[in-house]
Amino acid sequence: VEQVHRGDQMDGLLYPAKKIPPVAKSDTEQEKTSQNVAASKVDPLLKPSVETTSASLSSDIKQKVVNILLKYSTGLWAHALPKLYQDTYQVKFPEDILNNLELLSDVCVVDYVSEAPKKAILYAKPQRGIDENLNVTEKVQRREGVKATAEQQYEDSKDQYPENITVPPLIIPSEGSVSVIVLELKNTNEVLIRQVYYSSAQEQMEDDMKAYYSQNSTVSLAQSLSVGQLVAVHAEEDAWLRARIVSLEDNKIKASNYFFWYLEEDLKQSWVCYVDHGFSEFVESNSVCKLQKQFSSLPFQAAKCKLAGLEVFCDDPVLVKTVESQTCSKIFAVEILERSDVPLLVLYDTSGEDDININATCLKALYDKSLELHPKVDARYTNVRVTSVFSDGSLYCQVPSKGLSRLSEILQKIEDFFHYKQTSEFNVSLPFCGKICLFPSKGKWARVEIRFIHSRRALDVQFMDTGTAATVKTSELREIPPQFLREVIAIPPQAIKCCLADLPPNTGMWTPDAVLWLRDTVMNCPEFIMKVIKQDGSKGIAHIYLFAPENFPDMDRSVNRQIKNADLWKHQKDVFLSVTPSGTSSTKVASDASALWSTSGKVEKSDSAREPSSAASTTDMPPPLPLSKTGELMDVYVSVACHPGHFIVQPWKELHNLEALMEEMILYYSRAEEKKPVNVEKNKLYAAKIENQWYRVIIKGILRNGVLSVYELDYGKHEFVSIEKVQPLMDTFRKLPFQAITAQLAGVKSQQWSEEASIVFRNLVEKKPLVAQIQAVNESANSWDRKIVTFLVDTSHPDTDIWIHDFVSQSLVEFSKGD
């Protein structure tokens, strides 16, 4: 059990007490292990392998492996070796070697990172040692005695000169999420972290060290020590830890537990540093032993990183203290922006309901507290400007303040600076969430914070001083010039988030009509008088009454009372009426909920682009998607899989066109000002914003409270969406054929599919590229109602193609036996 902090709580990471050795397994055990490496991938069955020894492995194969590994100084995953081998030498790699990587142990270092025999990283040994061992097959009989003597001398020399011990570098996983524990920090450019990914391997190594040195401490006691030497140290609680000697004096050693150690020439005390834990301490020389070779295969676990967005202020004592209090001894999810010797990271605290960007949170420590806005209850503010209104009735207000004046001065200086500079020199080359930069708005520069990145071209921002959210092009953003950076960052956001007090009146949500009335009323008036009624500190919202200057202090003429008394909330209680082309209404409620299923997983996005000039035509339809002829093969991507009788495929070759279309829709429909709700009609085409992304949809049902049932025509999903999130589908977005193709699996009988069979099928095909062989096409007047019957083939395995219907049929037999 390893004690760690998650938020304000103390948790523990649990690891297995013992690990099964990864070598010398039976074929059956190896097959089971390899099948468990990745739950989402079905590995081909392992072929029985003939027992092979290291000596019988061809020296030519070993040499070729060495040549490949020498190109990868940071190591190579074992499962990547066969493809590289075949690509390099045009010869198939002997697969049985992966089942027993010890066959390569004499020419490379094999670092097992889990119980799976193939889950290992390979490192090239020093060239001298490799050359000596390559010809073992030819020399094994005639030089057995000489070889043994040479190996013994080599081991003795390593014991005598422990600085020769080489430890493989720490590898950052290239796929999947990365979690780290923050150990300590000197500044924000030197943050010591340890990957949770390696925690079980480290635990196992330290258990092995404890067992070894407890029995051999006197034999392994280090006789001579030198600065920089790797050693094993007897630490507290009877633990044995790897360390590097930083300095020596008398019988004391100062040790430090991180890899990036330092040496001060005038230092009279001695230190050691623990290379896996990140802390330093004094130790007595009789607590230090030679580090044995078997404890050098695991990379040093403590590594340095930099926190993105804080580099310029890395040594600021206030910032460093804030980062330390927010991060040390806690676990975080990591976004890696740059992979280098000292990687550039963004840390996220995922322990609560919402993910917290630690970099952005800590940057607020640099705010000038005297410029922060703290509305006081019962206070009256004049010359108030409403800068934005949202669909939930919340709004942002600017009040005259010292901070707003300071901000205007600095932004004017930046405007003057850019007047004599090419602004393209300050293009944002590495955008990330939480980054603060500049954006041109209404002829002036404005501060924005990046909130979400859609692609290299488009991202979401929030205007820090108006509260407005928008989707913009990356090319429009500019870096803050270095000489103005501290001044710009020091000014807190100059907009107050507010809501109208005593509203909405028992409705639960704002209606589109009420939002439009509020927006038209407050956005067209240059200034208001604002009275604060209540301050909600937990949500950061001020409850206010708004008055036009001529109406203050008459409460009945306040904006609050006017909107409350207006007839704007009625349809909240009723069925939303669908609108026919002639303008007459129908009271029929289309309740198609029983035919719906809801799925999630779409990435989030936001707002910006220009306003559509006119309502979209409802007659122009995209051309039908061309399909392969019956019996021919077609590359597809399975976007949704319910069961073998219903799944959705997309043509693989068109995916890039679909991605380009989605990106254009984001930039077109998402804008600073929210669009007016449109009248909708069942079975017509629209654009809908679902989880902050825009999709081409058809309305399937009109439900209560302005909620619509829609079908995504490019992804094949049924979703619910508010009518406020629906806009006309413009002609420019009607040219690409709808990409979702409804399908059922050929080669199996139609039936009521059990939950178990559906899960097996879904795991086999969903979110995967496959090959389809169409057997039949059931045409329809509408392209989205067309259905195909097709075989599916998984061709991702090197040895064999998997026909999905065969696997499903086998599963049905097994399920029936179980029943």
Side-chain angles (χ1 to χ4, degrees):
V1 181
E2 177 181 359
Q3 299 296 330
V4 295
H5 292 279
R6 291 182 66 85
D8 296 328
Q9 299 179 340
M10 174 75 80
D11 284 348
L13 295 177
L14 305 182
Y15 306 108
K18 294 182 179 180
K19 297 186 73 92
I20 302 171
V23 296
K25 291 186 179 182
S26 66
D27 291 335
T28 305
E29 288 173 323
Q30 290 185 12
E31 183 176 330
K32 289 180 180 178
T33 306
S34 65
Q35 288 175 340
N36 290 330
V37 171
S40 63
K41 181 177 179 179
V42 180
D43 283 340
L45 297 177
L46 297 177
K47 296 182 178 179
S49 58
V50 180
E51 187 70 22
T52 312
T53 64
S54 179
S56 65
L57 192 62
S58 164
S59 60
D60 180 57
I61 293 176
K62 291 182 180 180
Q63 181 63 62
K64 289 178 178 178
V65 170
V66 169
N67 293 340
I68 292 174
L69 294 181
L70 288 175
K71 299 177 183 178
Y72 295 87
S73 58
T74 58
L76 177 71
W77 284 103
H79 62 72
L81 184 58
K83 187 174 187 306
L84 282 172
Y85 189 94
Q86 185 162 350
D87 291 346
T88 305
Y89 301 111
Q90 307 304 314
V91 177
K92 189 174 181 180
F93 184 74
E95 289 289 341
D96 59 320
I97 295 178
L98 290 185
N99 300 330
N100 186 3
L101 292 172
E102 292 302 308
L103 296 173
L104 299 173
S105 61
D106 55 341
V107 294
C108 67
V109 176
V110 183
D111 178 19
Y112 294 98
V113 295
S114 80
E115 296 178 4
K118 296 182 182 179
K119 197 72 171 180
I121 303 172
L122 307 179
Y123 304 93
K125 282 187 174 180
Q127 190 63 46
R128 180 176 62 85
I130 294 172
D131 294 339
E132 289 176 357
N133 290 318
L134 278 175
N135 295 324
V136 67
T137 305
E138 291 82 353
K139 301 177 182 179
V140 68
Q141 293 180 345
R142 57 192 177 90
R143 296 189 59 187
E144 193 71 28
V146 177
K147 178 174 176 291
T149 303
E151 285 182 345
Q152 185 60 46
Q153 290 175 348
Y154 181 65
E155 292 301 320
D156 291 345
S157 69
K158 291 183 72 175
D159 287 340
Q160 185 177 355
Y161 303 103
E163 62 272 14
N164 289 336
I165 292 177
T166 57
V167 177
L170 188 65
I171 303 298
I172 301 175
S174 58
E175 297 180 357
S177 60
V178 178
S179 295
V180 301
I181 299 175
V182 176
L183 303 173
E184 67 174 18
L185 71 151
K186 183 179 180 182
N187 56 54
T188 63
N189 283 349
E190 298 180 60
V191 180
L192 277 168
I193 60 173
R194 175 162 62 82
Q195 287 187 61
V196 177
Y197 178 80
Y198 285 98
S199 291
S200 60
Q202 179 186 341
E203 185 96 358
Q204 182 66 49
M205 180 195 70
E206 291 178 356
D207 286 346
D208 294 343
M209 288 179 67
K210 180 177 179 180
Y212 176 85
Y213 288 106
S214 297
Q215 300 175 3
N216 300 280
S217 58
T218 55
V219 176
S220 302
L221 199 64
Q223 300 301 320
S224 61
L225 300 173
S226 59
V227 173
Q229 180 179 336
L230 286 176
V231 292
V233 176
H234 193 188
E236 294 180 359
E237 299 181 0
D238 207 28
W240 283 88
L241 306 176
R242 300 189 299 179
R244 187 185 292 275
I245 297 175
V246 176
S247 62
L248 301 167
E249 182 174 307
D250 299 327
N251 290 326
K252 287 186 176 180
I253 305 164
K254 186 175 181 183
S256 169
N257 201 350
Y258 60 91
F259 173 55
F260 304 94
W261 57 279
Y262 59 91
L263 176 63
E264 298 183 22
E265 293 181 1
D266 296 331
L267 193 63
K268 294 186 178 180
Q269 298 292 345
S270 304
W271 290 88
V272 292
C273 95
Y274 295 102
V275 292
D276 300 309
H277 293 273
F279 65 91
S280 307
E281 70 172 358
F282 293 109
V283 296
E284 302 293 334
S285 58
N286 58 7
S287 300
V288 179
C289 291
K290 292 181 291 186
L291 184 66
Q292 299 300 312
K293 179 184 176 183
Q294 63 265 35
F295 305 125
S296 64
S297 60
L298 185 71
F300 297 139
Q301 296 302 289
K304 274 186 182 177
C305 72
K306 295 187 293 186
L307 298 186
L310 310 181
E311 301 96 323
V312 175
F313 316 108
C314 65
D315 291 314
D316 186 285
V318 175
L319 178 64
V320 171
K321 185 177 180 180
T322 302
V323 175
E324 188 173 25
S325 65
Q326 292 275 343
T327 62
C328 281
S329 301
K330 298 178 184 177
I331 294 180
F332 298 96
V334 169
E335 179 186 4
I336 304 171
L337 303 179
E338 288 182 352
R339 294 175 180 271
S340 57
D341 292 340
V342 182
L344 187 65
L345 307 180
V346 179
L347 301 180
Y348 291 92
D349 183 354
T350 60
S351 60
E353 290 185 5
D354 298 320
D355 294 348
I356 299 174
N357 184 321
I358 295 297
N359 300 41
T361 300
C362 293
L363 191 62
K364 295 176 183 178
L366 300 177
Y367 285 169
D368 183 340
K369 305 300 186 215
S370 67
L371 302 180
E372 290 183 340
L373 300 175
H374 298 289
K376 296 180 180 180
V377 176
D378 293 330
R380 184 189 71 177
Y381 297 87
T382 59
N383 299 315
V384 175
R385 187 168 72 93
V386 179
T387 55
S388 57
V389 177
F390 290 87
S391 58
D392 62 355
S394 62
L395 55 157
Y396 279 85
C397 299
Q398 276 186 351
V399 299
S401 65
K402 180 181 176 182
L404 197 58
S405 300
R406 178 85 60 84
L407 178 65
S408 298
E409 293 173 5
I410 296 172
L411 292 178
Q412 185 58 52
K413 290 180 182 178
I414 293 175
E415 178 70 38
D416 296 340
F417 173 81
F418 281 149
H419 184 72
Y420 298 102
K421 289 278 187 178
Q422 288 286 340
T423 59
S424 58
E425 297 176 18
F426 295 89
N427 284 356
V428 174
S429 59
L430 186 62
F432 57 88
C433 292
K435 182 179 178 67
I436 296 175
C437 39
L438 300 173
F439 180 80
S441 174
K442 300 177 181 178
K444 297 182 178 180
W445 291 102
R447 299 190 302 173
V448 297
E449 179 182 346
I450 297 175
R451 306 304 293 267
F452 190 88
I453 299 175
H454 298 287
S455 65
R456 287 177 297 179
R457 290 183 56 203
L459 42 76
D460 289 352
V461 299
Q462 183 170 27
F463 288 77
M464 294 178 61
D465 306 299
T466 64
T468 306
T471 298
V472 302
K473 294 181 179 179
T474 307
S475 59
E476 295 176 303
L477 295 177
R478 294 294 180 270
E479 296 279 4
I480 301 170
Q483 60 268 44
F484 302 110
L485 185 58
R486 182 171 284 274
E487 288 183 281
V488 172
I489 296 297
I491 300 177
Q494 294 299 298
I496 303 172
K497 187 174 183 180
C498 308
C499 68
L500 297 180
D502 305 323
L503 287 175
N506 302 318
T507 61
M509 62 176 282
W510 281 64
T511 65
D513 289 340
V515 173
L516 289 174
W517 185 95
L518 178 61
R519 186 174 292 126
D520 290 341
T521 301
V522 301
M523 299 298 287
N524 295 323
C525 185
E527 63 180 53
F528 287 90
I529 294 176
M530 180 178 83
K531 184 175 181 180
V532 180
I533 304 300
K534 183 176 70 172
Q535 179 70 33
D536 188 343
S538 61
K539 297 181 179 179
I541 299 179
H543 294 248
I544 64 169
Y545 266 82
L546 271 183
F547 302 85
E550 64 273 15
N551 295 333
F552 184 82
D554 187 346
M555 297 293 283
D556 289 334
R557 301 182 67 185
S558 67
V559 173
N560 304 50
R561 295 284 175 86
Q562 291 181 51
I563 193 172
K564 184 176 181 179
N565 297 331
D567 189 20
L568 301 170
W569 312 92
K570 186 179 296 182
H571 85 245
Q572 187 71 21
K573 304 173 185 177
D574 304 325
V575 174
F576 188 84
L577 305 180
S578 63
V579 179
T580 62
S582 62
T584 60
S585 63
S586 166
T587 58
K588 181 182 177 183
V589 181
S591 181
D592 293 345
S594 61
L596 304 178
W597 63 89
S598 177
T599 55
S600 61
K602 287 287 176 290
V603 293
E604 294 192 343
K605 325 279 177 189
S606 199
D607 318 5
S608 162
R610 64 181 201 280
E611 177 122 32
S613 57
S614 62
S617 167
T618 57
T619 56
D620 292 343
M621 298 291 292
L625 185 69
L627 299 174
S628 299
K629 295 179 181 178
T630 301
E632 292 184 355
L633 301 179
M634 176 181 178
D635 291 328
V636 298
Y637 180 80
V638 181
S639 61
V640 176
C642 296
H643 50 72
H646 183 94
F647 56 95
I648 303 295
V649 298
Q650 299 168 308
W652 180 263
K653 66 180 181 180
E654 294 291 341
L655 285 182
H656 68 284
N657 290 329
L658 177 59
E659 290 173 1
L661 173 72
M662 300 287 283
E663 193 173 77
E664 292 299 327
M665 289 179 69
I666 292 171
L667 293 171
Y668 186 87
Y669 286 109
S670 301
R671 347 177 261 120
E673 311 86 36
E674 297 189 23
K675 297 174 182 295
K676 296 181 179 180
V678 299
N679 292 328
V680 296
E681 187 176 352
K682 189 177 175 183
N683 294 326
K684 297 297 182 182
L685 306 182
Y686 297 89
K689 189 178 184 182
I690 302 170
E691 294 192 11
N692 239 9
Q693 173 72 286
W694 286 90
Y695 296 89
R696 301 189 294 180
V697 302
I698 182 171
I699 304 293
K700 304 296 288 185
I702 303 170
L703 311 178
R704 290 181 179 272
N705 295 338
V707 176
L708 306 176
S709 160
V710 301
Y711 177 72
E712 296 175 7
L713 293 161
D714 295 305
Y715 290 88
K717 290 184 179 180
H718 292 267
E719 300 279 7
F720 294 107
V721 64
S722 168
I723 190 173
E724 300 169 17
K725 304 296 185 181
V726 172
Q727 289 295 312
L729 184 64
M730 309 309 293
D731 290 340
T732 186
F733 303 128
R734 294 171 177 252
K735 294 179 171 52
L736 182 72
F738 297 132
Q739 298 295 294
I741 308 169
T742 305
Q744 75 177 63
L745 189 64
V748 294
K749 293 181 180 179
S750 297
Q751 57 181 281
Q752 189 72 28
W753 296 98
S754 68
E755 182 180 354
E756 293 87 351
S758 299
I759 291 173
V760 168
F761 178 73
R762 190 177 303 123
N763 290 338
L764 282 173
V765 304
E766 193 169 57
K767 308 299 182 190
K768 292 183 180 179
L770 301 172
V771 174
Q773 187 181 59
I774 299 176
Q775 297 302 294
V777 179
N778 299 323
E779 294 289 354
S780 175
N782 299 318
S783 62
W784 55 86
D785 290 329
R786 187 170 52 170
K787 188 170 186 177
I788 65 172
V789 181
T790 182
F791 290 107
L792 291 177
V793 190
D794 185 350
T795 61
S796 64
H797 305 288
D799 295 331
T800 183
D801 294 339
I802 295 178
W803 289 74
I804 302 300
H805 71 283
D806 287 340
F807 204 96
V808 171
S809 299
Q810 280 183 332
S811 300
L812 290 176
V813 173
E814 292 175 9
F815 292 144
S816 63
K817 288 180 181 178
D819 293 340

